């Protein structure tokens, strides 16, 4: 929505009026079960209509990629996010960078650069990054759209202070921004690394 608001409106209009919409190369058509279901109370009708449709059909449109090191039941996979970034948003150069083991701050710098160049970046996280309860074992269970305002403090290691990171994002129908000086994410390096698992970026090649 932040990059292509008119495209968003066109998709929602087509989906509402015809029960499907056209992507770059595929027709996206939700199941009859979803078409007859109720709107989830946590978001707007338009957002729910589109998000639920994408979740409903993605496994059929984007087969599992055996080369991916991330597969989580109940959350969109990196290859599915790559597929939507190409299919709906029209970005030709789509990449996924895993941060399961290392490279969290570097991946965020890549996301910042892509965003500043007119592209998009989607972060695979655990929802605890946005203030949800801390999990016993962290795992990827949510995607957010990176909106910028990235601030990274790499820390002063010899004084036993770790790094710190702040940025804004979009999550489940709500823009998490820096109104009143607050950031969507404002965490020390340790928790941030625990909750961050990868980034999908899209830009024109």
């Amino acid at each position: 929505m932040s990059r292509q608001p008119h495209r968003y409106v066109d998709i929602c209009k087509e989906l509402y009026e015809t029960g499907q919409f056209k992507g770059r190369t595929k027709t996206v058509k939700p199941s009859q079960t979803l078409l007859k279901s109720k709107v989830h109370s946590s978001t707007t009708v338009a957002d729910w209509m589109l998000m639920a449709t994408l979740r409903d059909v993605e496994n059929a449109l984007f087969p599992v990629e055996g080369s991916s090191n991330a597969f989580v039941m109940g959350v969109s996979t990196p290859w599915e996010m790559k597929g939507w970034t190409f299919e709906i948003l029209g970005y030709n150069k789509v990449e996924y960078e895993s941060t399961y083991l290392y490279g969290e701050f570097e991946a965020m710098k890549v996301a910042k650069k892509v965003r500043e160049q007119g592209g998009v970046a989607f972060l695979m996280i655990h929802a605890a990054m946005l203030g949800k309860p801390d999990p016993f074992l962290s795992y990827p269970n949510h995607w957010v759209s990176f909106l910028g305002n990235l601030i990274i403090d790499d820390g002063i290691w010899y004084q036993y202070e770790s790094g710190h990171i702040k940025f804004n994002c979009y999550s489940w129908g709500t823009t998490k921004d820096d109104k009143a000086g607050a950031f969507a994410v404002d965490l020390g390096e340790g928790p941030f690394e625990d909750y961050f698992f990868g980034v999908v970026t899209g830009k024109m090649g």
Side-chain angles (χ1 to χ4, degrees), residues 182-196:
F183 286 80
V185 174
D186 187 346
L187 290 174
E189 183 173 6
F192 176 72
E193 291 179 344
D194 290 341
Y195 302 148
F196 182 38

Side-chain angles (χ1 to χ4, degrees), residues 13 15 25 27 52 59 62 68-69 71 80 86 92 94 106 111 135 159-160 162 165 179:
K13 182 175 183 291
L15 183 57
T25 64
T27 296
N59 290 337
F62 307 121
S68 175
N69 65 350
F71 181 76
E80 288 163 339
F86 172 84
N92 295 320
V94 182
E106 290 75 12
Q159 292 183 351
Y160 305 102
S162 63
I165 187 167
K179 294 177 181 177

Side-chain angles (χ1 to χ4, degrees), residues 96-164:
Y96 166 64
E97 183 172 348
S98 172
T99 60
Y100 270 80
L101 300 177
Y102 56 85
E104 291 84 356
F105 280 7
E106 290 75 12
M108 289 304 302
K109 292 174 182 177
V110 170
K112 177 178 183 291
K113 182 177 180 180
V114 169
R115 177 79 185 179
E116 290 175 345
Q117 293 175 342
V120 292
F122 303 102
L123 313 179
M124 183 168 60
I125 68 170
H126 188 283
M129 184 181 289
L130 299 178
K132 299 296 183 180
D134 292 337
F136 175 74
L137 179 65
S138 183
Y139 57 92
N141 66 357
H142 190 45
W143 288 90
V144 296
S145 178
F146 173 69
L147 296 181
N149 292 332
L150 176 66
I151 299 175
I152 294 179
D153 178 2
D154 291 332
I156 309 173
W157 291 100
Y158 64 86
Q159 292 183 351
Y160 305 102
E161 296 181 10
S162 63
H164 201 92

